[in-house]
Amino acid sequence: MGNPNRPLVEALLKFNAAAPVSFHVPGHKGGSLSGLPADLRSVLRYDLTELTGLDDLHEPDGAIAVAQRKLSSFYCSNQSFFLVNGSTVGNLAMIYATCSVGDTIIVQRNAHKSVFHAIELTGARPVLVSPGWDEITKTAGTMTVGQVCEALEAYPDAKAVVVTHPTYYGTTGADLEEMIRACHTYGVPVLVDEAHGAHFAAGDPFPRSALDMGADVVVHSAHKTLPAMTMASFLHVRSELVSTEKVAHYLQMLQSSSPSYVLMASLDDARAYIEAYDEEDKVLLMERRLAFMEQLATIPGLQLVESDDLLKLMIRVKGCSGFKLQKELEAEGVYAELADPYQVLFVLPLLKVGTDYPFEEIAKRMGSAITRLHLVGGKQDVLEMPLLNEGISQLIYTARELAQMETEWISYDEAVGRVVAASIIPYPPGIPLLVGGEKVGDEHIQSLTSLRQMGAKFQGAIRVNEGQIVVVKEGTEE
Ligand SMILES: Cc1ncc(COP(=O)(O)O)c(C=O)c1O
């Protein structure tokens, strides 16, 4: 107890302090009927519901309302919302609030699959903007102002521009503020998937938040970089172009009517954590991070790559794919966020004074893993990935049109020139290699083959073992 700056956490503590007897849902009755191990069961005491004193996410006027106002005040929004279904539901709600069937929406091509799902559900027509290649992280980067202006010129009736800022790898791009200003001169709102940037609001040395740069709606996966539980996320509206009421309306429809109080309490706590994050905390984080990097730099063959966001760190070993490196690190109990052909990606902890992390021990284990890789040797297994750059493009068919067509599974070799019937998504990071309705090119098949050979995992319209993807049946196209 004792932190009045977390109104929802306080409300839960106060409720339980009165030793309440449950004749309400959930059925585990405060955990007493649960067969979970004791440490897991202990949290169920706080897994409560809309009881007197605990407010209601969908009609807040008590502790949740106060907690959300504190959130809004810290992030300087007009209104902020707790999300209990990840940034996924935030992306859905912001696109529902701005687009409907047939509307044009301009989208950064390396957007998360939830953005494409939202477009599919609303029936909007996406205009895809291919970002440039970011040489530092060896991944797709961000759109330029020039590209977005070109897309707006070509599609002046666009209802929104969707930006991913930063990318999964922490790349922010240099000109988001100018891009937002340009979109606003066209009267088009900018919706920012800032899933990986909830901590940016702590200020320098972190990159600037899109909210600070004038974005209309911003979504944060608090669970990715703040100390919040998985799925716990935020959505902020600060706009004259997007209706807060519409966003709230869609959140009501898309989120559970029984939102988890444990998740919401962890959001309240995460906001208090980042709000209190001060200069001393930043100094501590920078010192600990630097010491870790210095130790890693002594491991022969290891290459460190930094990105715009201090919390993201890429680790490469010459001649070895990220997938293989990831496996070897896991054998030492070190789990990276993801692997790709070139590297593994670490998400570092947002340490503050009074917290610590076993960096020295981790670096030692990483040293053992990498030495083992060198000992095993063998041929180089990093396959070069072809650059995918489609410029500004539209889908040949929207998801709704595809739904009316017949499809068939064919092998990769026969797929060039055909229209893919659903998205193919290497996961993580969850960014489509092909969006359903796009034409398959040589470079897509080369990427797919290389990723498969290196052990990447996929979601979507792909049978990895059989080497097949699903395409529109020829002759059935409209
Ligand atoms: C850029 C981006 N946006 C959105 C999401 C979805 O976030 P969540 O897992 O919070 O639903 C992710 C998840 O990895 C992501 O990387």
Side-chain angles (χ1 to χ4, degrees):
M1 276 219 209
N3 185 349
N5 192 28
R6 299 179 308 180
L8 184 55
V9 177
E10 286 301 297
L12 289 173
L13 291 170
K14 190 169 162 203
F15 186 86
N16 274 347
V21 179
S22 168
F23 283 106
H24 54 77
V25 297
H28 58 65
K29 307 290 174 201
S32 61
L33 304 189
S34 166
L36 286 170
D39 51 352
L40 256 179
R41 200 170 61 230
S42 62
V43 87
L44 298 183
R45 246 164 63 72
Y46 296 94
D47 184 35
L48 292 159
T49 186
E50 289 78 14
L51 300 163
T52 304
L54 296 184
D55 208 1
D56 176 351
L57 178 66
H58 294 293
E59 211 57 61
D61 63 1
I64 295 176
V66 180
Q68 290 192 136
R69 276 204 296 276
K70 280 181 177 285
L71 177 67
S72 163
S73 153
F74 173 65
Y75 281 97
C76 301
S77 68
N78 296 345
Q79 197 167 334
S80 293
F81 299 86
F82 283 176
L83 307 180
V84 291
N85 189 21
S87 286
T88 294
V89 80
N91 285 343
L92 289 169
M94 71 186 183
I95 291 173
Y96 264 110
T98 45
C99 291
S100 55
V101 183
D103 286 342
T104 299
I105 182 165
I106 296 170
V107 186
Q108 186 171 324
R109 201 188 170 296
N110 53 336
H112 185 256
K113 60 181 180 167
S114 54
V115 168
F116 292 101
H117 292 162
I119 291 169
E120 178 172 344
L121 287 166
T122 55
R125 290 192 161 264
V127 169
L128 305 178
V129 179
S130 278
W133 182 252
D134 178 40
E135 258 313 317
I136 296 175
T137 58
K138 286 189 178 281
T139 55
T142 54
M143 302 184 286
T144 64
V145 180
Q147 282 181 303
V148 173
C149 288
E150 193 186 331
L152 286 165
E153 277 296 311
Y155 302 94
D157 59 341
K159 291 291 187 286
V161 172
V162 185
V163 181
T164 307
H165 170 273
T167 66
Y168 212 121
Y169 292 76
T171 305
T172 52
D175 43 18
L176 180 58
E177 189 166 29
E178 202 186 330
M179 188 186 296
I180 293 171
R181 232 181 284 124
C183 292
H184 286 172
T185 62
Y186 284 83
V188 177
V190 180
L191 315 178
V192 180
D193 177 352
E194 201 168 69
H196 293 267
H199 58 298
F200 289 1
D204 195 47
F206 300 113
R208 281 177 75 197
S209 166
L211 272 166
D212 192 33
M213 292 189 262
D216 295 84
V217 185
V218 176
V219 170
H220 286 146
S221 285
H223 66 93
K224 291 196 193 300
T225 54
L226 303 183
M229 285 177 67
T230 296
M231 297 205 289
S233 300
F234 301 137
L235 181 147
H236 314 277
V237 186
R238 185 182 181 185
S239 180
E240 287 168 8
L241 299 170
V242 179
S243 152
T244 309
E245 288 71 29
K246 271 195 176 177
V247 173
H249 170 74
Y250 285 108
L251 283 176
Q252 293 235 9
M253 291 172 71
L254 296 166
Q255 299 215 87
S256 168
S257 62
S258 310
S260 158
Y261 273 78
V262 182
L263 286 189
M264 291 191 286
S266 93
L267 281 172
D268 197 20
D269 180 55
R271 188 267 315 146
Y273 189 94
I274 191 66
E275 189 175 56
Y277 202 81
D278 62 16
E279 294 310 311
E280 278 183 46
D281 297 321
K282 290 179 195 173
V283 169
L284 173 100
L285 171 66
M286 302 278 281
E287 282 174 2
R288 301 289 287 127
R289 177 179 176 277
L290 189 62
F292 182 46
M293 285 173 47
E294 281 172 356
Q295 207 181 341
L296 292 182
T298 64
I299 301 174
L302 179 147
Q303 187 197 352
L304 287 175
V305 181
E306 298 180 69
S307 91
D308 297 326
D309 179 7
L310 296 178
L311 293 189
K312 297 286 168 74
L313 191 61
M314 273 80 47
I315 287 145
R316 296 181 191 154
V317 171
K318 201 166 176 344
C320 169
S321 75
F323 304 108
K324 193 163 167 187
L325 176 58
Q326 180 183 38
K327 272 206 187 107
E328 221 45 70
L329 291 175
E330 288 183 359
E332 289 290 331
V334 178
Y335 287 82
E337 169 66 12
L338 62 77
D340 70 24
Y342 304 103
Q343 58 212 337
V344 296
L345 172 68
F346 277 14
V347 181
L348 300 180
L350 184 66
L351 291 178
K352 65 158 57 182
V353 174
T355 60
D356 204 356
Y357 228 64
F359 285 126
E360 284 183 21
E361 167 61 22
I362 297 165
K364 276 191 203 138
R365 292 202 224 160
M366 288 172 66
S368 309
I370 291 166
T371 309
R372 226 172 19 244
L373 272 175
H374 292 321
L375 288 177
V376 173
K379 68 175 173 40
Q380 304 226 336
D381 78 333
V382 191
L383 302 174
E384 277 302 314
M385 304 292 291
L387 289 188
L388 301 173
N389 194 345
E390 287 91 358
I392 295 170
S393 61
Q394 274 202 300
L395 297 179
I396 297 186
Y397 302 116
T398 64
R400 287 192 180 203
E401 289 162 347
L402 285 172
Q404 308 303 316
M405 296 175 183
E406 283 183 50
T407 60
E408 61 182 337
W409 289 93
I410 58 171
S411 87
Y412 300 168
D413 316 333
E414 306 164 81
V416 174
R418 303 288 294 273
V419 176
V420 70
S423 298
I424 295 175
I425 308 167
Y427 197 92
I431 293 162
L433 176 68
L434 273 159
V435 178
E438 276 189 307
K439 194 170 255 186
V440 182
D442 266 328
E443 67 287 2
H444 296 121
I445 298 303
Q446 282 171 39
S447 291
L448 206 57
T449 311
S450 299
L451 282 165
R452 189 174 156 227
Q453 279 173 20
M454 286 183 282
K457 298 194 180 82
F458 290 90
Q459 292 183 347
I462 178 164
R463 289 177 180 157
V464 179
N465 293 339
E466 289 90 339
Q468 291 182 325
I469 60 176
V470 68
V471 295
V472 173
K473 208 167 188 173
E474 279 177 332
T476 67
E477 303 175 25
E478 286 173 346

